[in-house]
Amino acid sequence: MKNYEVVRDEISQTKELQSLEAWIENFKTTIGLSAADFKKIIQRMIDEEEVVVHKEKVYFLDNKRFARGTFRVVRDTFGFVENDHVSIYIAGLDYNGSLDLDDVLVEIKSAEKQYGVIVTTLKRNRDVLLGTMKMRGKGLFFIPYDTKITLQVEYEKGNLSLKENDRVIGKILNVGDKIDVEITSVLGQADEPGMDVRSVLFVYGIDVEFPEEVLEEVKSVPSEVSEKETEGRMDHRDQYVITIDGEDAKDLDDAIYMESLANGFRLYVHIADVAHYVKQDSAIGKSAFERSSSVYMVDRVVPMLPKELSNGVCSLHPNVDRLVMTAQIDIGFNGEIIDYNIYQSVIHSKRRMSYIEVNSGEDLKEVQPMIDMMRECASRLKYKREQAGSIGFESDESKFIIDNDGNVLDIFKRETGEAEEMIEMFMVTANEVVARHARYQFIPILYRIHDHPTKEKMQDLSHTLRILGYRMKGNLEEIRPKSLQKALEFFEGKPEYPVVSKLMLRSMSKAKYSPEPIGHFGLALEDYAHFTSPIRRYPDLLLHQRLKKYVVKQDRRNVEKDEAFTEEAGIHASKKERSILDAERQVEKIKKAQFMQDKVGETFIGYISGVTNFGIFVELPNTVEGLIHVRTLNDDFYQYDAMAQKMIGERTKQVYSIGQKLKVKLVSVDKIEHVVNFEIIKPRTRKGRRVIHERRRKKS
């Protein structure tokens, strides 16, 4: 151990790169360390990702000079290498043959400005490419479907017969100045119904089909709950339990019941006991780990669990017995948690309700008194959270109306009503209570953590808000959620509010999963974990499995093994979550572009959602966002003011800034990049109207 610390300290403090041989000689001379022992230490440092050895040179990963991370291409001219600590800008000339999503070693040229160059690719995270065969001249060319693949692709077709517009899979053979692939299969024509979504699923490595061993294991899962399975559980089948979900939901994770107490409310949050059917080391459990989450595309769901579980025996349908894990929570009239209990139970849901039904308040009948009580409790919980500083970001979630072929008929912004807010309050409360219990009991679980935003991000946000008329208060280095909440409240009801909410959200650190309970900044909570969605999220399922082991069975064997697996699961789930979110956004982008294709020439009213050096982004009320490219601003020469987030006309002094309302015309839709292009429609001036009137008078 002592030698390890000496070696680590010496390597970390040496500014010049040295070879393995040089280090071996150095430590042989200074501390008498043998070459074999040194190599063991270096291997441990490699395993713990403290160093990378490339071409016999030892690179210390301090995130100041060198870092290891995932390379994410934005376009052929730039990308970023990211890990939990840094995000390093990479210019297109410095990709060094790395592909999007590769694990790379990066040399950081400026820690302050955060830019660098890729030294080498450490791991390829894709071994196949999706492409479309396109005719150019007399030959067919392989055009990568993923526009983040910036190198030219050359292919071998083997015995396959290829034609234009075929969507194909190419196995990567070699990457250098170009990518060599062998085409292994043809999926079909690129414009077939559903091919767009299938292509995105493929690019992001999202498996639609379950492995054979999972399908085989599912056959042994019962389709209903037997009386024997209810033994030893609290029996809540007499409660008037209800579920409240979206109208089209099939995987019902959570059910609720409430009764009054002399000093407040008793809330029962019943969550599907998926862990009763899915063990960690089973085929279904391993598959759930790999998938990590259900994926919600515009026209389909790719479930984490087979439908026999997700839509069947685990889903809390009405009028059938279901096994659940229950969080019984006593809540005071001031919204404080007085007491709680976590245990296994059985329920018999009496009624399935929708958000629309509860929000309308019509035909609630016998459930009306309980809904009223729930609303009252939720309002008190909300007030308590707001006092603590919980930040209520505005959601820009889109709602799509689609036909059987996956074509989008309409898009609108999903509205959040009182029912959605009420259920969210109850689920957050349950998540908090279970996380606190797990921490007190030293149970190895995955916490949902959200770190404090960086000082740099807060300085940028503060500057933008000042331009919009609000001055942030307090120390930006140790910003508190309450400060951000007050800023949002200042803009509430103003045109800038949606943009400010977005800017603030982008300034936050990324939420992730971790075995360490460092708290959740955005929710202003010290303890938080995901407990309420085990049908569709692996961290929730793992938490349930651990509750059954450590709380129900009181089994504390193999704690160290469980801790090691939890750490691995946190890294995997956080990485997979990012990939799934990117895939879902990509599908939304594609579908929005397709929806706008037949509307070229139409005019819309939107607001400026972003300003960059290449143009202005405008978002419409239906959540579709488009670009006004700077080259279309032909009435003046416009300068981009990065600090003020504005475009300013040199001659006219015309200013375009975030939050500003604009009338725009749709001029084109890029079918490859799925970009919607707008032009500004300027109001006619009085002089312009006189000229037009005079011309018309002369013609008549």
Side-chain angles (χ1 to χ4, degrees):
M1 180 61 74
K2 182 180 178 182
N3 283 341
Y4 174 85
E5 296 297 337
V6 170
V7 170
R8 187 186 185 282
D9 288 347
E10 182 73 17
I11 292 176
S12 68
Q13 292 171 25
T14 302
K15 293 184 178 179
E16 297 297 322
L17 278 177
Q18 293 191 35
S19 67
L20 275 173
E21 289 303 318
W23 281 118
I24 288 171
E25 287 301 316
N26 176 56
F27 289 114
K28 184 178 179 181
T29 303
T30 56
I31 59 175
L33 190 67
S34 69
D37 285 342
F38 173 77
K39 286 179 180 178
K40 285 180 183 176
I41 291 173
I42 282 292
Q43 188 56 53
R44 177 181 165 188
M45 293 178 74
I46 291 171
D47 293 342
E48 295 184 5
E49 296 192 359
E50 291 183 317
V51 300
V52 162
V53 177
H54 171 61
K55 291 184 177 179
E56 293 300 302
K57 293 284 181 69
V58 179
Y59 296 81
F60 187 75
L61 304 177
D62 58 0
N63 292 313
K64 294 176 182 176
R65 290 178 59 226
F66 298 100
R68 177 176 184 152
T70 301
F71 181 39
R72 294 183 178 272
V73 175
V74 177
R75 51 177 60 91
D76 60 352
T77 53
F78 73 97
F80 295 90
V81 174
E82 299 177 336
N83 60 32
D84 286 344
H85 307 285
V86 293
S87 179
I88 305 300
Y89 175 90
I90 309 293
L93 295 174
D94 299 321
Y95 287 0
N96 197 14
S98 293
L99 303 179
D100 182 54
L101 301 180
D102 283 351
D103 287 350
V104 300
L105 171 66
V106 61
E107 181 180 0
I108 302 171
K109 294 295 187 180
S110 170
E112 183 182 351
K113 295 182 179 178
Q114 293 206 312
Y115 78 87
V117 299
I118 292 174
V119 177
T120 189
T121 299
L122 300 173
K123 180 186 175 187
R124 292 249 184 252
N125 284 321
R126 62 170 95 205
D127 51 14
V128 293
L129 285 184
L130 193 67
T132 308
M133 304 309 299
K134 291 293 184 183
M135 186 68 72
R136 288 182 179 172
K138 295 182 179 179
L140 279 174
F141 284 77
F142 183 110
I143 307 301
Y145 172 81
D146 188 348
T147 56
K148 295 174 183 176
I149 302 299
T150 58
L151 295 175
Q152 180 183 333
V153 178
E154 293 193 0
Y155 67 92
E156 299 173 9
K157 68 174 183 177
N159 297 322
L160 292 171
S161 175
L162 301 175
K163 58 183 180 295
E164 187 174 19
N165 211 35
D166 276 344
R167 184 63 47 84
V168 298
I169 297 173
K171 180 182 178 183
I172 298 175
L173 303 175
N174 183 56
V175 180
D177 295 334
K178 56 183 175 56
I179 305 174
D180 296 313
V181 303
E182 177 189 0
I183 297 178
T184 57
S185 60
V186 179
L187 297 179
Q189 285 282 286
D191 54 2
E192 286 179 12
M195 183 63 76
D196 49 4
V197 177
R198 285 172 60 196
S199 297
V200 173
L201 292 170
F202 181 90
V203 165
Y204 286 92
I206 298 169
D207 294 325
V208 177
E209 303 298 329
F210 286 95
E212 192 59 43
E213 58 268 27
V214 171
L215 298 177
E216 198 59 38
E217 196 170 87
V218 164
K219 293 177 182 176
S220 62
V221 176
S223 59
E224 56 186 36
V225 175
S226 67
E227 198 60 37
K228 183 173 178 56
E229 289 175 295
T230 67
E231 292 176 4
R233 291 174 175 263
M234 186 74 77
D235 194 336
H236 285 313
R237 284 176 285 194
D238 60 334
Q239 286 183 348
Y240 200 97
V241 169
I242 60 172
T243 60
I244 306 176
D245 293 275
E247 287 188 308
D248 52 355
K250 295 178 181 176
D251 50 353
L252 312 182
D253 285 290
D254 55 274
I256 52 175
Y257 174 74
M258 181 172 282
E259 56 195 20
S260 62
L261 299 175
N263 58 343
F265 314 88
R266 175 163 289 171
L267 169 67
Y268 292 85
V269 177
H270 301 297
I271 306 298
D273 190 357
V274 181
H276 176 80
Y277 303 99
V278 181
K279 311 305 178 191
Q280 182 177 304
D281 293 327
S282 66
I284 301 173
K286 290 175 180 176
S287 169
F289 171 85
E290 287 300 327
R291 288 172 176 251
S292 189
S293 170
S294 295
V295 184
Y296 294 86
M297 297 300 193
V298 170
D299 61 349
R300 72 195 73 187
V301 176
V302 181
M304 183 180 78
L305 300 172
K307 66 180 186 301
E308 290 83 354
L309 289 163
S310 59
N311 297 352
V313 71
C314 290
S315 190
L316 306 184
H317 298 303
N319 307 315
V320 290
D321 289 352
R322 285 293 183 258
L323 305 179
V324 293
M325 290 293 291
T326 295
Q328 175 195 307
I329 309 166
D330 292 353
I331 301 164
F333 286 123
N334 291 324
E336 75 279 18
I337 296 167
I338 300 169
D339 197 7
Y340 69 86
N341 194 9
I342 302 164
Y343 53 87
Q344 297 182 121
S345 68
V346 55
I347 64 168
H348 191 95
S349 174
K350 302 299 188 289
R351 184 170 172 180
R352 177 184 174 172
M353 306 185 74
S354 71
Y355 292 127
I356 293 174
E357 185 181 6
V358 176
N359 284 329
S360 72
E362 298 174 4
D363 196 32
L364 297 183
K365 296 179 181 176
E366 66 277 3
V367 80
Q368 182 76 61
M370 186 170 71
I371 293 291
D372 291 342
M373 193 193 315
M374 287 177 173
R375 284 183 174 133
E376 177 65 20
C377 178
S379 70
R380 293 169 186 266
L381 286 170
K382 182 182 178 182
Y383 178 77
K384 175 81 171 176
R385 297 213 178 286
E386 286 175 346
Q387 292 301 107
S390 179
I391 309 167
F393 296 111
E394 182 172 284
S395 171
D396 267 349
E397 192 176 348
S398 305
K399 174 73 174 175
F400 293 81
I401 306 299
I402 57 172
D403 64 18
N404 293 331
D405 293 326
N407 299 312
V408 180
L409 304 177
D410 200 3
I411 307 172
F412 52 90
K413 186 175 178 179
R414 191 186 294 273
E415 298 295 333
T416 300
E418 192 178 20
E420 290 92 334
E421 198 172 72
M422 179 180 79
I423 293 299
E424 182 183 355
M425 284 293 156
F426 294 162
M427 297 305 118
V428 168
T429 301
N431 287 338
E432 179 190 10
V433 161
V434 175
R436 184 183 303 169
H437 186 76
R439 182 165 65 86
Y440 287 167
Q441 298 296 319
F442 299 99
I443 302 171
I445 68 161
L446 283 175
Y447 295 90
R448 183 63 169 177
I449 64 168
H450 187 218
D451 209 348
H452 282 66
T454 64
K455 178 185 175 183
E456 291 74 22
K457 288 283 184 70
M458 287 298 97
Q459 285 174 333
D460 290 345
L461 177 65
S462 176
H463 180 81
T464 304
L465 294 183
R466 199 178 308 132
I467 291 165
L468 294 173
Y470 181 82
R471 184 177 292 274
M472 285 178 68
K473 296 172 184 171
N475 183 356
L476 295 179
E477 199 160 358
E478 296 178 6
I479 196 78
R480 298 179 66 83
K482 192 77 174 174
S483 300
L484 298 176
Q485 184 196 71
K486 285 181 178 177
L488 269 182
E489 287 172 356
F490 175 83
F491 289 101
E492 198 160 354
K494 298 179 180 179
E496 297 89 351
Y497 180 81
V499 177
V500 169
S501 184
K502 269 188 181 179
L503 287 172
M504 203 174 283
L505 193 55
R506 289 170 185 166
S507 301
M508 296 292 102
S509 300
K510 289 184 178 72
K512 59 183 181 180
Y513 295 103
S514 170
E516 300 300 323
I518 69 167
H520 196 292
F521 178 84
L523 292 173
L525 292 174
E526 291 183 11
D527 302 300
Y528 198 65
H530 278 162
F531 163 72
T532 56
S533 297
I535 290 177
R536 61 184 180 88
R537 277 192 312 233
Y538 187 77
D540 306 56
L541 173 56
L542 180 63
L543 173 50
H544 280 241
Q545 290 167 341
R546 295 292 164 76
L547 287 174
K548 294 177 87 66
K549 178 179 178 180
Y550 288 87
V551 176
V552 177
K553 297 179 181 177
Q554 295 288 307
D555 179 2
R556 299 199 69 87
R557 293 173 296 175
N558 302 315
V559 174
E560 288 185 3
K561 183 181 175 183
D562 286 345
E563 287 173 343
F565 180 81
T566 304
E567 189 164 347
E568 178 190 353
I571 294 168
H572 177 73
S574 298
K575 192 171 183 179
K576 196 76 176 177
E577 179 184 41
R578 173 79 181 269
S579 182
I580 288 170
L581 187 59
D582 286 347
E584 290 174 343
R585 284 174 176 165
Q586 180 66 11
V587 169
E588 284 204 6
K589 185 179 178 182
I590 291 169
K591 293 297 185 183
K592 285 178 179 179
Q594 290 174 355
F595 175 68
M596 298 298 284
Q597 279 175 9
D598 64 353
K599 295 168 181 58
V600 172
E602 293 184 24
T603 58
F604 304 90
I605 301 292
Y607 67 86
I608 296 177
S609 54
V611 182
T612 70
N613 63 339
F614 58 84
I616 300 165
F617 287 97
V618 173
E619 184 170 317
L620 305 183
N622 65 0
T623 74
V624 171
E625 189 175 60
L627 173 67
I628 300 168
H629 202 282
V630 67
R631 65 172 174 264
T632 68
L633 301 174
N634 49 24
D635 63 328
D636 199 349
F637 181 77
Y638 284 84
Q639 294 277 8
Y640 171 56
D641 186 336
M643 293 297 289
Q645 290 281 289
K646 293 178 179 179
M647 281 281 191
I648 304 171
E650 207 171 71
R651 178 178 51 81
T652 61
K653 305 304 178 187
Q654 170 71 55
V655 175
Y656 295 109
S657 57
I658 55 176
Q660 186 176 334
K661 188 178 284 189
L662 284 181
K663 188 175 184 181
V664 296
K665 180 171 78 172
L666 177 61
V667 291
S668 67
V669 176
D670 187 324
K671 294 183 180 180
I672 296 175
E673 295 279 357
H674 311 294
V675 174
V676 174
N677 295 304
F678 291 132
E679 279 184 0
I680 296 175
I681 297 178
K682 292 197 170 180
R684 292 173 179 171
T685 62
R686 188 170 296 173
K687 180 181 176 182
R689 284 196 294 269
R690 280 204 311 268
V691 170
I692 292 169
H693 178 74
E694 186 64 25
R695 284 175 182 170
R696 286 176 178 170
R697 189 184 64 78
K698 286 180 179 179
K699 281 183 180 179
S700 62

